[in-house]
Amino acid sequence: MRSTAMDDPRSFLEKLYNNFQNEIFNEEDSGEVIDRYYAPGFTLVSDGISIDRERLIKHIRPVKKSVLSGTYDVLEAVAQGNHLAARFVIRAVTKQGGETENEVHMFCEMTDDGRFVHIDQITRSIKG
């Protein structure tokens, strides 16, 4: 994994997530963006629900239609080798003017080039 993740996993993840979000909202093909950030055959389990590439694309479509802007604020992160654990907050402003905040506790494995291989996460709504 990039040495930045080991040196400062909090900044590494915050930059990664915010770059991913910016690209998702500004590029036409969500699949191409996902492929830059997630390894082929990745697994993501969120609140017990398994999400593969196609399901992630389907999830992103309505988000792009309803969300105006958002940020990821990584509160804490630790790394050991290609494994990371983090706690972060996703904040979003909807096109209808509403605001949401979700806290995420995430454990993941990454490739050497910094893409997600496996993610297990638990989320809770804070606002919205």
Side-chain angles (χ1 to χ4, degrees):
M1 182 184 312
R2 301 174 200 164
S3 62
T4 306
M6 287 303 294
D7 296 340
D8 188 355
R10 186 188 153 280
S11 293
F12 170 79
L13 280 174
E14 195 164 272
K15 182 178 178 183
L16 182 92
Y17 277 125
N18 282 303
N19 286 345
F20 173 75
Q21 180 172 286
N22 289 336
E23 290 178 32
I24 281 293
F25 281 99
N26 292 310
E27 292 188 30
E28 188 80 20
D29 189 340
S30 296
E32 288 181 13
V33 177
I34 288 168
D35 293 343
R36 287 195 294 272
Y37 289 85
Y38 292 81
F42 74 89
T43 56
L44 179 130
V45 180
S46 183
D47 299 326
I49 299 168
S50 294
I51 301 169
D52 62 7
R53 183 180 184 275
E54 292 309 310
R55 191 166 186 173
L56 185 55
I57 290 170
K58 287 178 185 176
H59 168 72
I60 289 170
R61 285 184 192 131
V63 171
K64 287 174 76 168
K65 290 180 182 177
S66 64
V67 172
L68 181 63
S69 65
T71 59
Y72 285 77
D73 181 16
V74 178
L75 305 173
E76 348 177 47
V78 294
Q80 182 176 12
N82 284 12
H83 293 89
L84 291 144
R87 182 173 65 91
F88 55 92
V89 176
I90 304 169
R91 293 180 177 88
V93 176
T94 67
K95 292 181 179 176
Q96 296 77 26
E99 296 179 6
T100 66
E101 288 186 14
N102 291 291
E103 183 178 47
V104 180
H105 295 252
M106 184 264 308
F107 301 89
C108 73
E109 178 184 357
M110 305 196 70
T111 61
D112 288 338
D113 67 353
R115 291 181 296 156
F116 293 108
V117 174
H118 179 79
I119 301 171
D120 280 303
Q121 64 185 28
I122 299 168
T123 64
R124 75 176 178 101
S125 178
I126 299 171
K127 179 181 183 180

